[in-house]
Amino acid sequence: MDFADKLRASGLRPTKQRLRICKTLFDRDKTFHFLVKDLVETLNEKTEDQKISVATVYNTVHAFKKSGYLKQLNIDPNHNYFDTNISHHHHFFDESTKELIDLNNDQVEKIEIKKTLPGKTISSVEILVKVENK
Amino acid sequence: MDFADKLRASGLRPTKQRLRICKTLFDRDKTFHFLVKDLVETLNEKTEDQKISVATVYNTVHAFKKSGYLKQLNIDPNHNYFDTNISHHHHFFDESTKELIDLNNDQVEKIEIKKTLPGKTISSVEILVKVENK
DNA sequence: CTTTCTTTTTAGAATGATTATAAACTATAT
DNA sequence: ATATAGTTTATAATCATTCTAAAAAGAAAG
Ligand SMILES: [Mn+2]
Ligand SMILES: [Mn+2]
Ligand SMILES: [Zn+2]
Ligand SMILES: [Zn+2]
């Protein structure tokens, strides 16, 4: 699916600002974990391009979150990370470097939760593994 | 350990404001998961008592976090929860009621992580189980 | 094309949680 | 008592995020 289709599927027209945001987010080999602040900086560091406003970046990121092309993570109470890897997966958080690393579902033994809550059903199980230098 | 000792162990003198904060936090049967905003409200809802300022509440909560009498959680990117249960444990987050429920370590089968990161050592593994109405 | 209507972008204002500041207050020590 | 140190508080500052409303761009109609 190309960028324009992703945008349309999120209810947004493919404008040049939004396409530049898509390129930064999705034109990558690996998962991209990012903070909105850093994304805005990256988008606006090349002085030859026209600046994209923070409002546009937030609007686009939230539309992608809503449509499922981005996930919002709970890693650090003081930083709001987004993730381009929308498959069900887990994370390592390197406390030394503040780096996030994907941990795929199949790299973790099935998690058996012995406690159940009456009237409730599990919608997701996510693991956060904090690591530091050995 | 009584409240005054907890405060002293956190580098704080047992003043009447701090002791009232302790009572609200620690004088309970069950784990207390809270937001600072709600804690401030609770402390100040009885009109007969003198109001405690937000600065004092934040200072005290952070001192307890630093000394290990409170844990800060990563549950919801938009809300900053603290937890009086400082043992190693996991959480259910009820997306219907926004309620947090403890999931003890012994209620989860040992988590086997097959992926390792060179030069890194695991410092913690935490599970977040999201649930909703059946 | 022009005009008209709709959507988008943007700068800057507003918001809300948290942190910082500095003056007033309280407790302790001499 | 006086001096000193620690504490509380109101309020200001900060920072991420959201809101607003005006300008710009794009699509549709004539
Ligand atoms: Mn959070
Ligand atoms: Mn967060
Ligand atoms: Zn990821
Ligand atoms: Zn807990």
Side-chain angles (χ1 to χ4, degrees):
Chain A
M1 198 183 223
D2 74 352
F3 301 156
D5 290 330
K6 271 201 167 106
L7 285 165
R8 280 185 286 258
S10 306
L12 299 178
R13 289 191 192 160
T15 63
K16 75 175 168 319
Q17 288 86 345
R18 289 168 178 163
L19 288 166
R20 263 176 60 207
I21 293 171
C22 284
K23 198 163 181 331
T24 304
L25 291 180
F26 302 121
D27 195 6
R28 294 177 179 268
D29 292 329
K30 294 194 302 182
T31 293
F32 182 40
H33 299 112
F34 65 93
L35 304 174
V36 173
K37 175 175 69 67
D38 296 336
L39 175 59
V40 172
E41 268 183 34
T42 302
L43 285 163
N44 292 330
E45 69 194 2
K46 282 166 261 153
T47 39
E48 66 267 22
D49 295 329
Q50 202 194 310
K51 298 270 171 293
I52 301 180
S53 72
V54 292
T56 298
V57 178
Y58 273 103
N59 288 341
T60 307
V61 165
H62 281 130
F64 281 141
K65 185 198 164 180
K66 203 167 173 190
S67 63
Y69 290 113
L70 285 177
K71 287 210 299 188
Q72 193 171 9
L73 305 179
N74 304 311
I75 301 296
D76 171 346
N78 303 309
H79 296 105
N80 197 359
Y81 287 94
F82 287 85
D83 192 342
T84 58
N85 182 349
I86 58 175
S87 74
H88 180 244
H89 70 288
H90 310 288
H91 292 94
F92 288 104
F93 183 60
D94 187 331
E95 302 203 275
S96 312
T97 65
K98 304 286 169 198
E99 197 187 358
L100 269 175
I101 299 145
D102 279 350
L103 172 61
N104 289 332
N105 226 359
D106 60 10
Q107 295 174 309
V108 177
E109 288 292 349
K110 185 160 181 357
I111 302 143
E112 295 291 349
I113 291 157
K114 299 177 200 165
K115 180 177 185 179
T116 59
L117 299 176
K120 303 291 174 179
T121 182
I122 290 176
S123 53
S124 76
V125 177
E126 281 187 49
I127 303 175
L128 178 62
V129 182
K130 292 190 180 153
V131 299
E132 53 192 14
N133 289 331
K134 209 174 278 176
Chain B
M1 197 182 226
D2 74 353
F3 301 157
D5 289 331
K6 271 197 168 108
L7 285 165
R8 280 186 286 257
S10 306
L12 300 178
R13 288 190 193 163
T15 63
K16 76 176 170 316
Q17 289 88 344
R18 289 168 179 164
L19 287 166
R20 264 174 61 206
I21 294 171
C22 283
K23 198 161 181 330
T24 304
L25 291 180
F26 302 121
D27 194 5
R28 294 178 177 267
D29 292 330
K30 294 194 303 183
T31 293
F32 183 40
H33 299 112
F34 65 93
L35 304 174
V36 173
K37 175 174 69 66
D38 297 336
L39 175 59
V40 172
E41 269 183 35
T42 302
L43 285 164
N44 291 331
E45 67 193 5
K46 283 167 263 156
T47 39
E48 67 267 21
D49 295 329
Q50 202 195 309
K51 299 270 171 293
I52 301 179
S53 73
V54 294
T56 298
V57 178
Y58 273 103
N59 288 342
T60 307
V61 164
H62 281 129
F64 281 140
K65 183 197 166 182
K66 204 166 175 192
S67 63
Y69 290 113
L70 285 176
K71 287 209 300 188
Q72 192 171 9
L73 304 179
N74 304 310
I75 301 295
D76 171 345
N78 303 308
H79 296 106
N80 197 359
Y81 288 94
F82 287 84
D83 193 341
T84 58
N85 182 349
I86 57 175
S87 74
H88 179 244
H89 69 288
H90 310 289
H91 291 96
F92 287 105
F93 183 60
D94 188 332
E95 302 204 275
S96 313
T97 64
K98 303 287 169 196
E99 197 188 359
L100 268 176
I101 298 145
D102 279 350
L103 172 61
N104 289 330
N105 226 359
D106 60 10
Q107 296 173 308
V108 176
E109 289 292 350
K110 185 159 178 359
I111 302 142
E112 295 290 350
I113 291 156
K114 299 178 199 165
K115 182 177 184 177
T116 59
L117 299 175
K120 303 291 173 179
T121 181
I122 290 176
S123 53
S124 77
V125 176
E126 281 187 46
I127 303 175
L128 177 61
V129 182
K130 291 189 180 152
V131 301
E132 53 193 13
N133 290 331
K134 209 173 275 175

